[in-house]
Amino acid sequence: MTDAEMTDAKMTDAKIRLSGIGKSFGAPAAPVVAVQDLSLDIRPGEFLTIVGPSGCGKTTVLNMLAGLETPTTGTMTLDGRPIRGPGAERGVMFQDYALFPWKTVRGNIGFGLVHGPAGAGLSAAEREERVRRVIELVGLTGSEEKYPHQLSGGMRQRVALARLMANEPQILLMDEPLAALDAQTRIILQDELLRIWGQDKPAAERRTVVYITHSIDEAVFLADRVVVLSSHPGRLKRIVEIDLPRPRDDATRLSKAFADLCQSIWQSIREEAYRATMT
Amino acid sequence: MIRAGAPWELIRWFGGMLIYCRTMAVFLLAWYLAAEAVPNKLLLPSPLAVAQALRESWLDGELTANAGISLLRLLVSVAAAAVLAIPIGLAMGRSRMISDLLEWPVELLRPIAGIAWIPLALFIFGIGQRLPIFIMFYTAFFPLLLGTAAGAQSVDRRLIAAARTMGLSRGTIMRRVVVPAALPSVLVSLRLAVAASWTAVVAAELVGAPSGLGYAIEYYRSMLATPTVMAFIVVIGLLGFLTDRALRWLGDALAPWARTEGRQ
Amino acid sequence: MNRLALKLALPILLLLAWELIASGSPRAPRPSTVLQAAVAMIASGDLPTGLATSLLRVFLGFATASCLAVPLGIVMGSVAVVERNLDPLVESFRPIAAIALLPLIILWLGTGTQAAVAIVAYAAFFPILINTIAGVKRIEPSLMRAAYTMGVGTLTRMRVVLLPAALPAILVGMRIGLGVAWTAIIAAELAVGAKAGGQGGIGQMMFVFYAYSVELNGIVVCMVAVGIVALLLDRALRFALARAVPWSTP
C-alpha cells in the first residue's frame, strides 16, 4: 500500500477499509471462490450488519476481519494499517460462542483480561471489578461460578457477549450470535445488545460493530447500514442505509418503515435464497 | 455436578449396597457349599479359610509389606511414564512434524506388550526392583502418550481461534487452552495406564522380583498354601478397584466440567 | 514424499545406532544377527509352530469368552433386574487381572493348553461383556418401539434391531478383548515356562531362550513376532468391524 492510499483511508474516516478482497479455498488448480472483489468502508462507531443467503461467505469475511484467515487478493486496513493476524483491539463473538468448557462463567469472562494483552496494566482488583461490571451488564449475576454446560443457550450467549465486552475491544465482530436461540430470547437479546452497544449514547462513544446474520429483520433492526451479499461467490450486492431513529424498540419493529426496509432487502435476495434451499 | 435431592441419593446408595451385599452373600454361600463338596481342600478352600489366611497375613504384616511394595512400584513407574509421555504427547498432538517423526517408532513398539519384554529385561536388569518398574513403565507409557496426543490434537479449533482473537501468545494458548482442553483425555488415559500397569506388575513380579504381591502368590502356590494365594488375589483385585476409584475421583476433581458433558 | 522421509528417519536412525552400539560386544543382539536368527527360526519351523500353538490357544479362549460374554451382556443390558443383581460380581472380579489367577489355574488345570485357554477366556471375557452391556443400553428406545409398533415379535426384534444396533459396541469389545487375550497368553506362557513342563507357545519359547540357551537374538525375534501378531489381530478385527457395520464410523 502506498502512502497516498494510507492518507486517503484516514481522510475518508474509515475505521476498517476492505479493498478488492477475495478469498478462495482448495487446490490452486480448482479453487472454490468464497468471496470475490469485496470493497467496503466501515465507519467508526457504526453498527454494520451483513446479510446474505447461505454460501455468501459471510463468515469468511468476518474471519478475515478477525485475522483468522488471510484474503487471497486485495487489502484490508484498520486505521490505515494493514490487518495481519488477530489482535486484541478486534474482539470476536463466535456463532457457537466458543466458551472454554473448563472455565466458569467468571473465568470465561476474565480469560482475555488474565491471559491476554487486554488486561495489561490493570491490577487484579481492577480486572475483577471489570468482570463484575460486565456480568451485571449482561444480567448474569448469580451464575458466576457455573460451568458453560450448566447454562441454557441464552445464558451462554450472554457469557460470550460479556467476554467480548470485558476485553473492551475497539471493534466487535459478531458471527450470528443469536442464531441458536429461540424467537423470544432473540428479541430480548437484540434489545439488550443495542443498549450495551450504547444506542442511547452519542455516536462518538459507540464502538464499531460488524454483525453477521441470516435474519433480515434482525439486520435491519440493529444496523446503521446493512450490507447485502450475493452467493456463490460472495459479492457485494447492495448497501442499505437504515435511517430508523434511535433508540429503537418494539415500536420500531411495528413501524411501516421497518417493514418496508425488510421487504426491500428480501426482494433483492429472495431468488438466491430460494436457490440456496435446493442445494 | 449432580444436584439431585440428597435424601433421594442416600436412599439409592443404600439400595445399591443392599443389592451388592445380597449378591455377594449368594456368591459366598455358593462358594462355601462348593468347597464343602470338594474333598481336596488344596484345590478349593472355603471362603472361611481364605478369610482366615487374609487375617493372618494382615496380622504378621506380610500383606501390607507386599502390597506397599507393589503400590510403590506402580506409583514410581506410572509417574515416570506420565512425566515423559505427557509432554511428548502434547507435542505430537500439536505438531504434525513431531507426530510424523515419532509415528513409526511408536507404532512399531506399541504392539509389543510390556510383558513380552520380561525375558530380555531379565537379562538387562536381573531379578529385583528395576525389572517390574521397567515393565510397568513401558506398559503405562503408550496409553498415556496416545491419549495425550489424541486429546491435544482434537482440541476444538474454535477455542484456539477465540484465544487468538484475544491476542494470546502461542505459549499462553498452549498452557491455557490446549493443556486444559486435553486434560480430560489425559485423565482417561491415565486410568487405562494404571490399570494396564497393575496387570503388568503381577506378571513381572511373578517371574522376576523377590517381593511384591505377584511374588507372594507365586511363593504360596509353590508352598501349596491355596487359601493364602486366594487371599492375595483378593487383595490384588481390591487394590486395582480402589486405585481406579481414586483416579476417577481425581479426574472428577481436576476436570469437573468434563463429567456431565460426557453424559449429554 | 517429504513426510515419508520424516516418518522413516527415526526408525532407520535407531536401527543403525543399535547395530553400531551393539557390534562392540559379541553376544549382544543387533538388527543383522536378529534377522539371521529370524530366518533360521522360521526355516526350522520353531517360530511358526510356537506362534501357531499360542494363536490356537488364544482363539479357543477368545471363542469361549465371546460365547459366554455376548449373550450374558445382551441379557444384562436389556433386563435391568439381571444387571443390578449381577453387577456386583462383575465389578468384583473385573479388577482381578487374569495373570493373578495363574497360580490357581495351574493348580486346577495344570500347565497345558487347558490352563492357557482358561486364562485367555477370563482375560477376554470382561471387555466383551462390558462393551456388550453398554452397547445394548445405548440403543435408542425409539428403535425398539418402532419395531414394536410394526408388530415385530420379541425374539425377532432382538435379532433384527437389538443385535445390529449393539453390534458396533460388541465388536469394539471383541477387539479390546482379543488384544488383552494376546497379552495374557504371553504372560501365562512365560510364567508357565518358568515352571518348565508343558509344551510350545511363543511365550514359553522366549523363556526357554532366556533360561537355557541364553539366546538373546531368539528372544528379540520372539518379541518382534509378538508385536507383529498383535498388530495383525488388531487390524483384522478393525477390518471385520468396518465390514460388519458399514453404517458405523468407529
Side-chain angles (χ1 to χ4, degrees), chain B residues 13-239:
Chain B
W13 188 81
F14 269 115
M17 280 313 281
L18 199 73
I19 291 172
Y20 182 88
C21 293
R22 197 178 63 194
T23 303
M24 290 318 278
V26 170
F27 169 72
L28 288 173
L29 188 68
W31 178 5
Y32 179 80
L33 292 176
E36 287 293 303
V38 174
N40 188 345
K41 291 288 165 256
L42 277 183
L43 281 183
L44 189 61
S46 92
L48 294 176
V50 173
Q52 175 68 18
L54 195 62
R55 205 177 92 89
E56 273 167 23
S57 45
W58 167 266
L59 284 179
D60 65 16
E62 207 184 348
L63 185 78
T64 25
N66 282 313
I69 288 170
S70 293
L71 282 176
L72 187 68
R73 286 174 182 155
L74 180 76
L75 186 71
V76 169
S77 47
V78 172
V83 165
L84 207 65
I86 292 174
I88 299 177
L90 285 173
M92 278 178 80
R94 296 314 302 171
S95 152
R96 208 173 79 167
M97 201 188 85
I98 294 177
S99 96
D100 276 354
L101 194 66
L102 293 179
E103 186 190 324
W104 282 33
V106 169
E107 286 306 312
L108 291 174
L109 284 176
R110 192 170 63 103
I112 303 178
I115 286 160
W117 282 83
I118 288 177
L120 194 65
L122 274 169
F123 260 108
I124 301 172
F125 301 118
I127 287 176
Q129 269 309 345
R130 288 188 297 171
L131 173 82
I133 289 182
F134 168 75
I135 302 293
M136 291 164 79
F137 166 86
Y138 183 92
T139 308
F141 182 79
F142 290 104
L144 275 167
L145 181 78
L146 297 175
T148 309
Q153 197 181 2
S154 59
V155 175
D156 192 339
R157 282 168 58 199
R158 295 162 313 155
L159 295 182
I160 293 176
R164 284 180 65 202
T165 61
M166 289 183 231
L168 267 67
S169 65
R170 275 183 76 100
T172 315
I173 290 177
M174 190 74 186
R175 267 184 301 127
R176 300 294 174 180
V177 181
V178 175
V179 169
L183 187 63
S185 51
V186 173
L187 290 168
V188 168
S189 61
L190 184 69
R191 270 178 63 198
L192 290 177
V194 166
S197 220
W198 189 241
T199 307
V201 72
V202 180
E205 287 175 349
L206 212 72
V207 181
S211 57
L213 291 170
Y215 168 79
I217 53 173
E218 184 50 30
Y219 174 78
Y220 284 107
R221 187 198 66 85
S222 66
M223 305 288 284
L224 293 179
T226 317
T228 317
V229 172
M230 282 188 158
F232 274 97
I233 289 174
V234 169
V235 170
I236 288 172
L238 198 64
L239 288 176

Side-chain angles (χ1 to χ4, degrees), chain A residues 252-272:
Chain A
T252 315
R253 290 192 179 92
L254 295 171
S255 70
K256 177 155 190 323
F258 176 77
D260 288 346
L261 282 164
C262 291
Q263 192 56 33
S264 150
I265 292 173
W266 170 238
Q267 287 307 332
S268 51
I269 60 173
R270 67 179 296 168
E271 201 175 307
E272 284 189 67

